[in-house]
Amino acid sequence: MIVKENNQPWQEGIAKNITFIVTKDCQLACKYCYLVGKNSKERMSFDIAKQAIDYILSHREDFNDKSVVWDFIGGEPFLEIGLIDQICDYIKQETFRLDHPWFNSYRFSFSTNGINYDSGKVQKFIHKNQSHLSIGITIDGTKRKHDVNRVYKSSEKGSYDDVVKNIPLWLSQFPDGGTKVTISSADIPYIKESVLHLYSLGIHEVNINCVFEDVWRDGDDILFEEQLTDLADAIIDGGYYEQYSCSFFSDFIGKPMDINLENQNWCGAGKMLSIDAEGNFYPCTRFAAYSLRSKRPIIIGNVRDGINKNLLRPFLTLDRLSQSPQKCIDCEVASGCAWCQGENYDAAETDTIYQRSIAICKMHKARVRANNYYWAKLAHKEKILTMN
């Protein structure tokens, strides 16, 4: 989708994604978080960020995308809002000075826990950059669901009350803002009520997914299907589908794959670039040390020496065939079955990136069954409405 802003094109979905890991600290210790090495010591310096920006902007032959997403993550990125503001100012200054194609074709992107969203420094930054910002606040649903996993590291107290109070302000600034909901084994019973609750808060786009790690228990898929089927009933009977979306229901999932047409990697690992506090480059943040349970980080360069293309090359050859077991290739409901490249690596029997983790297999199949129910019911309802 191409939209116009300030008479310049913004190429949503096909822009280069560059991620700064500005801090490994966070107020929360979410129980499902894949970041196993969060700490309060490792924060990026402006000098490292500046070196990374200088390298990227001076190598247009390697970074020749027409648009860019400058992504800031943690931990919790807004803990370093002063540093981020300095980095963003430098990006704008340098792209203007260099007459770079990214000067007005960019986004600053954030996924935040929302706790300090209303702080003066964060709000000043938003007002300064709002026309080029994408900000998502993570709220998992009802207080009951949210507080199961999203707890403070200091007390294990739930964070729902401190997040929900900032949702009206966020939506007033980003009316089309979507939230990212994560499902783990413990909170399956709260899916339906949580999606409807998020709708009631005024959030129209609910992006929701199961964790990729192998945490699933016997019977989770049955409970999952029941919750999604009940949610399908509520969305269709209540007419929510006309104005609201939930990413669990999609008309492109649950079909066999045409491997000749769809033999690509699921994610952008290797096509993205992530930078940590030491100035190391990664093909994705999931290959940094604080994201890995048992494997060594995969570093593909640094701000001083640049990108080592020999180390990057294996990521550019990744596709569905090269890493999927035969049963996944032949699966009748393969379309829409996702994977995380970093989790593939972390869960693999060896230090390979070519072994696909299939921990969510039964959850995907349950989702497909509920998805089929959703679209059949919606088609039936629309047929009746047409007849009347």
Side-chain angles (χ1 to χ4, degrees), residues 157-169:
K157 172 181 173 289
S159 59
Y160 174 86
D161 291 337
D162 294 326
V163 177
V164 75
K165 68 180 177 62
N166 287 326
I167 297 299
L169 173 61

Side-chain angles (χ1 to χ4, degrees), residues 338-381:
W339 62 84
C340 168
Q341 205 63 53
E343 176 59 18
N344 287 356
Y345 170 63
D346 210 8
E349 297 162 351
T350 64
D351 289 345
T352 182
I353 60 173
Y354 291 97
Q355 182 177 326
R356 178 175 167 186
S357 172
I358 57 173
I360 66 167
C361 176
K362 67 178 183 179
M363 303 303 287
H364 172 69
K365 290 177 178 177
R367 177 194 174 193
V368 167
R369 294 191 294 269
N371 187 68
N372 291 342
Y373 173 84
Y374 174 92
W375 291 103
K377 176 163 182 162
L378 182 58
H380 179 70
K381 177 177 180 178

Side-chain angles (χ1 to χ4, degrees), residues 145-349:
K145 180 189 180 321
H146 184 98
D147 286 350
V148 164
N149 285 309
R150 301 188 66 80
V151 298
Y152 282 96
K153 66 180 180 182
S154 57
S155 64
E156 292 204 0
K157 172 181 173 289
S159 59
Y160 174 86
D161 291 337
D162 294 326
V163 177
V164 75
K165 68 180 177 62
N166 287 326
I167 297 299
L169 173 61
W170 169 57
L171 289 177
S172 72
Q173 295 169 330
F174 302 96
D176 298 325
T179 192
K180 179 179 176 294
V181 178
T182 301
I183 303 298
S184 64
S185 180
D187 50 26
I188 291 174
Y190 315 128
I191 293 175
K192 173 193 169 183
E193 66 180 43
S194 290
V195 173
L196 296 179
H197 177 66
L198 294 172
Y199 290 168
S200 75
L201 294 177
I203 300 172
H204 286 248
E205 180 181 339
V206 176
N207 298 303
I208 187 167
N209 66 276
C210 296
V211 297
F212 291 102
E213 290 76 20
D214 189 6
V215 300
W216 305 106
R217 303 172 183 172
D218 290 343
D220 278 352
D221 54 328
I222 304 303
L223 293 174
F224 185 52
E225 182 180 353
E226 290 174 354
Q227 277 291 303
L228 292 191
T229 302
D230 289 347
L231 176 60
D233 285 337
I235 289 175
I236 294 171
D237 294 343
Y240 291 104
Y241 63 92
E242 296 177 348
Q243 297 185 45
Y244 299 84
S245 68
C246 173
S247 63
F248 269 148
F249 303 118
S250 171
D251 59 1
F252 78 88
I253 75 165
K255 303 179 180 77
M257 300 297 301
D258 185 338
I259 206 66
N260 295 314
L261 298 176
E262 302 174 270
N263 186 30
Q264 66 270 352
N265 198 21
W266 180 265
C267 73
K271 298 177 182 178
M272 304 180 288
L273 183 69
S274 295
I275 308 113
D276 72 3
E278 300 299 317
N280 292 317
F281 290 157
Y282 302 91
C284 167
T285 58
R286 287 296 297 256
F287 291 91
Y290 82 141
S291 300
L292 298 168
R293 301 182 300 276
S294 58
K295 297 289 172 64
R296 297 170 298 175
I298 296 182
I299 298 172
I300 58 169
N302 57 63
V303 296
R304 293 165 292 280
D305 304 319
I307 295 173
N308 184 324
K309 293 183 180 179
N310 285 329
L311 297 176
L312 179 62
R313 188 170 291 114
F315 290 90
L316 302 181
T317 64
L318 283 165
D319 56 30
R320 185 177 295 269
L321 276 174
S322 66
Q323 59 188 308
S324 299
Q326 193 62 42
K327 66 178 181 179
C328 292
I329 296 169
D330 297 336
C331 179
E332 290 297 310
V333 295
S335 61
C337 187
W339 62 84
C340 168
Q341 205 63 53
E343 176 59 18
N344 287 356
Y345 170 63
D346 210 8
E349 297 162 351

Side-chain angles (χ1 to χ4, degrees), residues 128-148:
K128 180 177 175 180
N129 296 284
Q130 188 161 355
S131 63
H132 285 282
L133 280 182
S134 297
I135 299 179
I137 290 182
T138 300
I139 179 168
D140 260 2
T142 61
K143 179 177 174 64
R144 177 162 62 170
K145 180 189 180 321
H146 184 98
D147 286 350
V148 164

